[in-house]
Amino acid sequence: MNTLSYKTISINKETAKKEWVVIDATDQVVGRLCTKVAKLLRGKYKPTFTPHVDCGDNVIIINASKVVFTGKKETDKVYTRYTGYPGGQRFDTPAKLRQKKDGVDRILRHAVKGMLPKGPLGRHLLDNLYIFEGTEHDMQAQKPKAIDINQYK
């Protein structure tokens, strides 16, 4: 009997096959989009998934300014941040954040960050996410492939 045929293969950083993918976020719901992006970043769609290794893809999101919220979340949802000074708690809604520079980037990163593991691995995985508000991106040298995010569960 060949005992090597049923060994579990655990990949590491050197043997992980990472790809570059482009996702068009036009008319996508924020939470539903970010769950799929988090799974892509983590590598959960791959048969070689290893929980403690960065084996996911590098994800480029284009048309990020065209994402939508369901219901009244655009005006009612509140993002809280703290400046570090006494009385420095600040509150923003998604409608206010969209008007600021890199506001949509902060909305999407906040959602994806909450869906990734906490600790050094999660912080490293978030570096593999690139968000662009328009249709153009500067990652052409990596030859990313465009995927339809609606095909994933």
Side-chain angles (χ1 to χ4, degrees), residues 22-105:
V22 175
I23 296 171
D24 188 3
T26 304
D27 297 329
Q28 295 285 331
V29 178
V30 173
R32 293 168 197 263
L33 171 71
C34 290
T35 55
K36 296 169 187 174
V37 169
K39 280 186 177 182
L40 280 169
L41 287 170
R42 190 87 199 274
K44 290 236 174 169
Y45 292 118
K46 294 185 177 185
T48 57
F49 170 69
T50 307
H52 63 281
V53 178
D54 174 16
C55 56
D57 296 331
N58 296 305
V59 179
I60 303 165
I61 299 177
I62 59 172
N63 291 324
S65 59
K66 297 180 183 174
V67 294
V68 296
F69 284 92
T70 58
K72 296 195 287 184
K73 291 187 195 84
E74 188 76 34
T75 55
D76 293 356
K77 183 176 176 69
V78 176
Y79 290 104
T80 306
R81 63 186 173 88
Y82 182 62
T83 63
Y85 290 95
Q89 198 171 23
R90 302 289 185 255
F91 306 99
D92 284 322
T93 63
K96 279 189 203 172
L97 277 177
R98 283 184 193 270
Q99 297 167 358
K100 294 183 181 180
K101 182 179 182 238
D102 291 334
V104 177
D105 182 272

